[in-house]
Amino acid sequence: QVQLAESGGGLVQAGDSLRLSCAASGRTFSSYAMGWFRQAPGKEREFVAAISAGGAATYYEDSVKGRFTISRDNANRTMCLQMNSLKPEDTAVYSCAVSRVPYLGGRYYSPAEYDYWGQGTQVTVSS
C-alpha cells in the first residue's frame, strides 16, 4: 500500500506562483517514477509533469513547459511541483501519483501507468 498526500494548493492571481508538495509513505519511494496530473471541472484528467525514480528524467505537458518544474527529494520522500506564471487555465485539482516502474519512457503521460493516487489539492487562478 502507498499513501500520497498533496499540499500547497490555493487561490492566487494570474502571474503568481505556487509550490505543490506530495508526501509519500508505504512504498520504497526512490524506486518508482512519479507524476502530477490535473483535472478541471467538466474535463478529463490531464498529464502535467512526471519524473523518473532517480530524478534525472523529467517530462512536461506542452502548456506548462518553462513555467512548471517537477522535482523530488528521495531522502525525505517528497515530490514537488513549482508552478510559476500561473494562468487561469491552470485552475484544476492537482493530484500526485506513483507508478510501478522506475522509468516510464514514452508512457509518462498515461494515467494507466500509475497505480496509486493522492486525493488532490485545489489550485485556483483568478484573472
Side-chain angles (χ1 to χ4, degrees), residues 4-24:
L4 300 173
E6 303 93 340
S7 62
L11 171 62
V12 297
Q13 294 187 331
D16 286 350
S17 297
L18 277 176
R19 185 175 179 85
L20 305 184
S21 294
C22 175

Side-chain angles (χ1 to χ4, degrees), residues 22-34:
C22 175
S25 62
R27 175 183 277 183
T28 305
F29 181 82
S30 60
S31 297
Y32 303 98
M34 296 187 69

Side-chain angles (χ1 to χ4, degrees), residues 38-41 87-94 122-126:
R38 66 187 179 186
Q39 188 166 20
K87 304 176 180 181
E89 51 264 43
D90 294 319
T91 295
V93 174
Y94 285 70
Q122 176 70 47
V123 172
T124 303
V125 185
S126 64

Side-chain angles (χ1 to χ4, degrees), residues 48-120:
V48 177
I51 188 166
S52 61
T58 57
Y59 310 89
Y60 298 93
E61 193 270 331
D62 285 346
S63 70
V64 308
K65 283 181 181 177
R67 300 190 298 122
F68 291 11
T69 303
I70 190 171
S71 62
R72 64 190 297 164
D73 180 345
N74 286 341
N76 290 307
R77 304 175 64 87
T78 58
M79 177 180 66
C80 292
L81 185 68
Q82 177 67 42
M83 306 186 296
N84 299 328
S85 303
L86 283 162
K87 304 176 180 181
E89 51 264 43
D90 294 319
T91 295
V93 174
Y94 285 70
S95 299
C96 62
V98 61
S99 77
R100 60 190 77 89
V101 296
Y103 177 69
L104 286 164
R107 308 182 307 278
Y108 56 84
Y109 59 89
S110 172
E113 297 295 332
Y114 301 82
D115 54 359
Y116 289 100
W117 295 78
Q119 291 296 312

